[in-house]
Amino acid sequence: MVKKELLYEGKAKKMYKTDDPNMIIVEYKNDLTAFNALKKDSIEGKGSLNNAISASLFEYMNENGIPNHFIQKIDDTHQIVKKVRILPVEVVVRNITTGTLCKRLGIEENIRLPRPLIEFYYKNDQLGDPLILEDHAELFGWATKEQISFMKETSLKVNTLMSAYFDTLNIILVDFKLEFGVDANGTILLADEMSPDTCRFWDKTTMKKLDKDRFRKDLGDVLGAYREIWRRISEKEAN
Ligand code: TMP
């Protein structure tokens, strides 16, 4: 597959056209941002770790019947995915309270929720991705009622699958963000990435943070945490 012109550059990835109109090539960048890009850095090796981690997790989704955009990893920092139109709605699933949930609502940190909490955010950098209701998404045409139901159901299934998977790696899946897109046939698919940039992972024994919170909160050794996630995933794959 030939990498052609740049279609779009995001904060952590670049999307390129290919010779197939239904496929694009994603390049995972070393750039890291937080707080709507107010905080920025670049960490050598982050892109290739996220490419590998995301590819493995999408493969796991494929094995478990979660329709998604992933086709194939092609090298260290690139993967081929189905071309989709990303819906401007981000879905966050939370198992344990932390992050903006605690800040926004004054909720205590580190409480395991009796069931997963699903939140929708409007994907709009200028507005800082505000929290929205399902009704906003439907009434303003960001997603249909059916797409919203699909996103909720699928996000819960992904949570069950990912929580079980990471449990075997001695990692707690605290929360994560998903994005969905619509392909050329109008089919809705899980898209974007699944990585320590978009999930919170805590070591079950030490509670050490193994994700982008190390960057957001200046905890140090960001790359070491991403490497640790990849080490545990790749060891599991080798068995
Ligand atoms: P939050 O607590 O900061 O709202 O984050 C919830 C989850 O969503 C966490 O796993 C990090 C992820 N996330 C993203 O992937 N992108 C974002 O822009 C934000 C704000 C959070």
Side-chain angles (χ1 to χ4, degrees):
M1 182 145 297
V2 187
K3 179 169 157 184
K4 295 177 114 178
E5 68 262 35
L6 182 70
L7 265 176
Y8 173 77
E9 178 161 6
K11 286 180 276 210
K13 298 186 292 298
K14 288 182 185 174
M15 319 291 172
Y16 295 89
K17 272 191 179 173
T18 67
D19 37 356
D20 182 332
N22 294 317
M23 308 273 177
I24 62 168
I25 290 177
V26 179
E27 179 185 336
Y28 280 74
K29 304 197 292 182
N30 288 330
D31 298 352
L32 265 167
T33 67
F35 315 116
N36 203 12
L38 279 175
K39 182 173 172 147
K40 287 185 206 175
D41 201 356
S42 180
I43 300 181
E44 186 62 38
K46 194 270 292 190
S48 73
L49 285 163
N50 272 4
N51 185 39
I53 293 166
S54 204
S56 289
L57 294 177
F58 277 124
E59 266 162 16
Y60 175 58
M61 294 299 117
N62 277 333
E63 287 159 16
N64 285 280
I66 303 290
N68 68 79
H69 74 160
F70 181 74
I71 309 281
Q72 190 188 352
K73 181 179 166 212
I74 46 175
D75 66 22
D76 231 28
T77 52
H78 295 88
Q79 53 182 253
I80 303 173
V81 304
K82 264 193 205 159
K83 187 175 178 181
V84 294
R85 175 179 63 84
I86 294 285
L87 299 177
V89 176
E90 298 186 348
V91 185
V92 168
V93 181
R94 300 181 189 270
N95 297 307
I96 293 180
T97 61
T98 192
T100 60
L101 171 69
C102 296
K103 283 205 190 74
R104 182 179 300 113
L105 302 177
I107 305 291
E108 205 181 310
E109 295 256 354
N110 304 351
I111 299 169
R112 180 162 281 276
L113 296 164
R115 61 176 172 81
L117 171 66
I118 297 199
E119 296 176 333
F120 291 98
Y121 291 83
Y122 178 36
K123 192 172 153 67
N124 183 314
D125 280 342
Q126 277 179 339
L127 300 176
D129 296 349
L131 180 68
I132 57 166
L133 303 176
E134 284 175 42
D135 253 3
H136 292 121
E138 190 190 333
L139 289 170
F140 301 121
W142 300 327
T144 65
K145 214 179 177 64
E146 294 70 32
Q147 287 168 341
I148 294 165
S149 301
F150 179 88
M151 289 193 283
K152 271 170 80 168
E153 269 170 40
T154 307
S155 299
L156 286 173
K157 283 186 202 159
V158 171
N159 185 44
T160 303
L161 289 166
M162 292 261 287
S163 295
Y165 181 95
F166 280 96
D167 189 62
T168 67
L169 306 181
N170 204 43
I171 288 167
I172 301 170
L173 178 64
V174 174
D175 57 28
F176 58 96
K177 183 262 300 178
L178 298 177
E179 295 188 25
F180 292 82
V182 177
D183 72 10
N185 303 318
T187 305
I188 182 166
L189 303 172
L190 177 63
D192 193 51
E193 70 179 276
M194 289 193 284
S195 75
D197 272 11
T198 61
C199 303
R200 284 195 175 98
F201 298 124
W202 294 351
D203 181 274
K204 221 198 301 183
T205 309
T206 64
M207 300 302 269
K208 185 178 173 183
K209 295 181 198 305
L210 297 172
D211 57 63
K212 198 164 96 172
D213 266 354
R214 301 204 71 79
F215 171 69
R216 294 190 189 97
K217 296 167 178 270
D218 291 319
L219 300 175
D221 198 22
V222 179
L223 197 66
Y226 285 50
R227 275 203 191 113
E228 181 60 21
I229 295 291
W230 175 237
R231 186 186 69 76
R232 295 191 201 183
I233 290 175
S234 50
E235 265 176 19
K236 182 180 172 75
E237 282 181 356
N239 287 323

